[in-house]
Amino acid sequence: MIRSAAAAARTSPQLDVAALADWIDGRLGEPGAPLTATRIGTATGIGNALFELRVGEDSYVLRRPPPVLNDASASNMVREWRILTALEGTPVPHPAPRLLCEDPGVIGAPFLVIGKIVGFTPGFEMPEPFGSDPALRRGLAEAYVDALVDLAEVDWRARGLEGLGKPDGFLERQVPRWLAQLDRYRTRDLPELDFVTGWLERNRPSGSAPALIHGDYSPFNVMVAPAPPPRLAAVIDWDTGTVGDPLLDIGHLVARWTDPGEEPVLTPLPGRPGGDPTRSELVARYARRSGRDVSALPYYACLALFKLGVILEGTYAREARRGVPEEKNSMAVMVPRLMSAAAEFARGERGL
């Protein structure tokens, strides 16, 4: 195997480039093609580690789980691979699946290699011309919704995803499942938690017809084509995807959406004020295009924020165990804010 000097220099504690190069040799590019790896995305989240791979003249992205997981079921590379391969040939924009390695002995964890996407993540930035053009931002918001409609129409059985999830009883399992995860690392009381979980159990709807769902759908998990017209280059981060109730995806999207004059649940929408559709406009578009009953959508918005809060509380607990002071803990305020916002949807104080 021929490697460049840069490959050795860029070896990371989370990536054994020499072992990776030996495993990839001939699977991507010509045998003996030089391989380099560069860590990317360190400022864009707390999930999977990302590396840009250069194999000869071609670029790819490697995804591997973080060194520490909040739960053993998180960052499932095989699950993500199954979904990406099933999405090939569908209208749902996604990274091209290139390689899957299930052997943790190669770099210390299972990993997958996907095609590199050219674009930007709108949860973090809104570059020009999108930042100052209300029409472009509205078109982009509509594209978020349309991708969910297309995703819910994928024939998951025909595409080999039988067994990916358990659609029967999907909603019934959600609160017990996430409370059980929270109990494995809970270190503090969370405001509104008892109200939210009680309300979710008392007000559970009958549910929508099962479909393939993303599980963590927001502008932070899409990439946008860099030039107009507004369109998604890819929906990314599929490791929490499953077969379940698709209204949870649209519920997650609108739960984190900020209407004019509101305090953001997490962060304000990037870009200049004005032009972005409201939550109710996004919901109306989804209902019109999908034909699904969205009358219970406040339930799904509440459930999405409760679930997200539980997941991020794992990060709070991990930092607290390391001795990070409360005022410096990245989730000290964020998780209670999520629970409070979930309660606001339950009480009708944050409308759809």
Side-chain angles (χ1 to χ4, degrees):
M1 174 67 196
I2 300 173
R3 299 184 196 95
S4 71
R10 293 175 182 173
T11 299
S12 160
Q14 293 189 35
L15 188 66
D16 184 336
V17 177
L20 175 67
D22 286 339
W23 187 85
I24 283 183
D25 190 24
R27 290 183 167 98
L28 289 175
E30 296 294 325
L35 181 146
T36 64
T38 306
R39 182 72 191 271
I40 58 175
T42 54
T44 60
I46 58 173
N48 295 308
L50 304 177
F51 297 83
E52 181 177 359
L53 304 183
R54 292 279 298 180
V55 182
E57 298 300 316
D58 298 319
S59 294
Y60 308 91
V61 172
L62 180 146
R63 282 170 54 79
R64 58 148 292 163
V68 180
L69 300 176
N70 284 343
D71 188 77
S73 64
S75 298
N76 190 317
M77 298 292 99
V78 176
R79 174 179 293 270
E80 181 160 4
W81 176 263
R82 285 188 67 188
I83 293 172
L84 290 177
T85 55
L87 290 176
E88 292 286 84
T90 73
V92 181
H94 61 281
R98 300 305 303 265
L99 295 174
L100 170 68
C101 179
E102 299 183 59
D103 180 5
V106 177
I107 63 168
F111 64 90
L112 57 84
V113 178
I114 56 180
K116 183 180 178 182
I117 302 297
V118 177
F120 65 91
T121 299
F124 300 104
E125 60 174 331
M126 194 65 75
E128 296 300 336
F130 296 91
S132 60
D133 190 327
L136 290 179
R137 290 204 309 280
R138 174 170 288 271
L140 186 53
E142 292 171 349
Y144 302 156
V145 172
D146 294 348
L148 284 183
V149 175
D150 290 339
L151 177 61
E153 292 178 352
V154 171
D155 188 339
W156 51 274
R157 291 186 181 89
R159 291 185 168 270
L161 295 180
E162 194 80 51
L164 180 73
K166 299 176 181 178
D168 293 340
F170 177 81
L171 287 182
E172 289 83 351
R173 292 193 303 274
Q174 294 303 299
V175 170
R177 180 256 188 270
W178 293 106
L179 277 180
Q181 176 167 322
L182 179 62
D183 286 342
R184 290 196 284 273
Y185 47 66
R186 189 187 329 202
T187 62
R188 60 174 176 168
D189 293 331
L190 291 173
E192 302 282 19
L193 177 65
D194 290 342
F195 167 76
V196 165
T197 54
W199 185 87
L200 287 171
E201 291 289 72
R202 292 190 305 271
N203 292 276
R204 185 170 55 243
S206 58
S208 193
L212 178 59
I213 67 175
H214 181 275
D216 188 21
Y217 190 82
S218 77
F220 291 89
N221 280 332
V222 302
M223 293 187 70
V224 174
R231 62 181 180 85
L232 300 191
V235 181
I236 58 175
D237 294 8
W238 292 90
D239 52 297
T240 58
T242 189
V243 175
D245 192 327
L247 294 186
L248 187 55
D249 273 347
I250 184 65
H252 192 139
L253 175 64
V254 298
R256 295 170 62 172
W257 199 263
T258 306
D259 276 357
E262 281 186 338
E263 184 73 19
V265 171
L266 291 178
T267 57
L269 298 174
R272 299 178 186 176
D276 297 297
T278 63
R279 281 192 299 273
S280 62
E281 289 176 303
L282 296 180
V283 171
R285 184 177 182 88
Y286 182 88
R288 184 171 64 253
R289 287 210 58 221
S290 69
R292 293 180 184 262
D293 180 1
V294 297
S295 58
L297 205 58
Y299 179 92
Y300 294 91
C302 178
L303 176 59
L305 295 182
F306 159 69
K307 171 187 167 183
L308 181 59
V310 168
I311 292 170
L312 296 183
E313 185 67 4
T315 301
Y316 170 87
R318 188 165 64 249
E319 292 185 13
R321 286 194 299 270
R322 293 204 318 263
V324 176
E326 184 77 3
E327 65 274 13
K328 294 184 178 180
N329 191 305
S330 63
M331 298 298 159
V333 175
M334 184 176 294
V335 173
R337 177 65 190 132
L338 285 167
M339 293 299 173
S340 295
E344 290 170 6
F345 278 108
R347 296 188 177 107
E349 297 166 355
R350 191 172 281 258
L352 291 175

